[in-house]
Amino acid sequence: MKINYKSILITVLLLIVLGVVFFVETGMFISGPQRKYEDDIRKIETTIMKNYRGIKNIQRHVFYYTVYVGENDKNIVWFNELGEDIVTRKLKTKDFEKVERTVEERYHAKNIEVSLGYGYDNPVYVVECDKGLILLDYDTLKEVYYLKDGDV
């Protein structure tokens, strides 16, 4: 029986092409949705910066709603997913130190990190600490939500 080297070579080349196509398609499938997600976020942030000159420090927060929080020289502004402003507070009302003291006293927490977000109906301070995730109302510092560390 004679071995046909030409057929073996064609088969090996086809397997290599199949492998390349497989890896390219897998890479596209895995990274494609992530790229679209990042592009959507970038578009919203660009819309916000275009419509609200001087806005900076834009952060995305997802809880009950997806919101973006940014600030300019005088105000903190919360934006919805369309880039429209929904709430504004004076920048001088932001007091992370008071929030940290409140959380230390009320929850006996350590390793406190504070950011801004949006709760069910209003702006909140988002506190991540060793006790868990705590959302405090921006104006009153009343507890809006508390997820203890380890509870899911």
Side-chain angles (χ1 to χ4, degrees):
M1 179 181 337
K2 186 175 178 186
I3 297 176
N4 189 347
Y5 292 107
K6 186 177 178 183
S7 295
I8 292 174
L9 181 63
I10 290 174
T11 302
V12 168
L13 288 174
L14 286 174
L15 287 173
I16 290 172
V17 168
L18 179 66
V20 169
V21 168
F22 175 76
F23 285 114
V24 167
E25 289 298 319
T26 301
M28 296 279 285
F29 177 74
I30 291 172
S31 64
Q34 181 65 26
R35 285 188 191 149
K36 182 185 179 325
Y37 172 76
E38 290 170 357
D39 284 345
D40 291 345
I41 292 173
R42 199 173 7 255
K43 284 178 188 175
I44 294 170
E45 289 176 349
T46 303
T47 300
I48 291 169
M49 290 190 305
K50 190 181 342 173
N51 293 338
Y52 297 89
R53 301 255 184 246
I55 208 84
K56 57 187 178 208
N57 299 332
I58 297 175
Q59 298 175 356
R60 184 172 185 267
H61 177 253
V62 180
F63 178 64
Y64 193 71
Y65 304 103
T66 300
V67 296
Y68 296 82
V69 183
E71 53 189 54
N72 59 22
D73 296 335
K74 297 180 183 178
N75 297 314
I76 304 169
V77 185
W78 283 259
F79 302 92
N80 64 15
E81 286 185 289
L82 302 174
E84 302 166 340
D85 63 324
I86 51 176
V87 178
T88 303
R89 295 288 190 273
K90 296 288 183 193
L91 185 59
K92 62 183 176 184
T93 63
K94 180 171 81 170
D95 194 353
F96 284 176
E97 292 172 4
K98 182 177 179 183
V99 172
E100 288 178 10
R101 285 192 309 271
T102 301
V103 171
E104 285 175 355
E105 293 168 7
R106 198 180 294 170
Y107 300 96
H108 307 289
K110 304 274 188 271
N111 304 325
I112 298 169
E113 294 180 25
V114 182
S115 60
L116 297 173
Y118 197 83
Y120 296 110
D121 299 319
N122 50 352
V124 294
Y125 289 104
V126 179
V127 181
E128 295 182 45
C129 61
D130 63 333
K131 300 295 182 181
L133 175 69
I134 305 166
L135 271 59
L136 299 176
D137 182 271
Y138 185 86
D139 299 314
T140 64
L141 295 184
K142 289 183 181 177
E143 182 180 301
V144 173
Y145 180 79
Y146 180 27
L147 177 65
K148 292 181 184 174
D149 197 27
D151 290 352
V152 178

